[in-house]
Amino acid sequence: MTPPPVQVLAPCPGKVVAMADVPDPVFAEEMVGPGVAIEPDPGPTTVVSPIAGTVVKVMPHAFVVLGDGVGVLVHLGINTVRLGGEGFEVLATQGSQVAAGDEMVRWDPSAVPATHDGHELSSVVPVVVMDAPKGSVASDAIGAHVAAGDTLFATS
């Protein structure tokens, strides 16, 4: 039985971009899964859960929420794992239940350096539906500016 569509909300404010435009081939080629990305607004921000469910993984630079048979990964920046958690404040607890819009991580995307230890970094935020077929996410929000909590797309 196919799970019902899930509304996936913007985890942070910014401009919505196509996954193909993310500067990392793993995300751009939808190897992790389909979705969209957000070029976040500069300045300190609190990232929120895009769906209701269980926090199955939380790290300073990324988290996964599983709800209604759908897992959504929010990855705060590209190669930001190399920062070792610096600049991120985790607000959620692994294993906890969250509602869509609950606070997950606080960070400042404008503080992400362009490079770190010889690796290029980016503050772009991929929002990925895990274990979904390539190309299965379409969003009318691409090119638009969203606020945290605005609808990005619905799963199919």
Side-chain angles (χ1 to χ4, degrees), residues 79 82-83 111-122:
N79 286 330
R82 299 185 178 282
L83 299 175
V112 173
T115 60
H116 184 76
D117 289 340
H119 293 90
E120 289 188 22
L121 276 63
S122 167

Side-chain angles (χ1 to χ4, degrees), residues 17 51 57 64 70 80 132 150:
V17 296
I51 63 171
K57 189 73 173 170
V64 176
V70 174
T80 49
D150 286 354

Side-chain angles (χ1 to χ4, degrees), residues 67-79:
D68 288 329
V70 174
V72 177
L73 164 69
V74 176
H75 203 282
L76 304 178
I78 302 300
N79 286 330

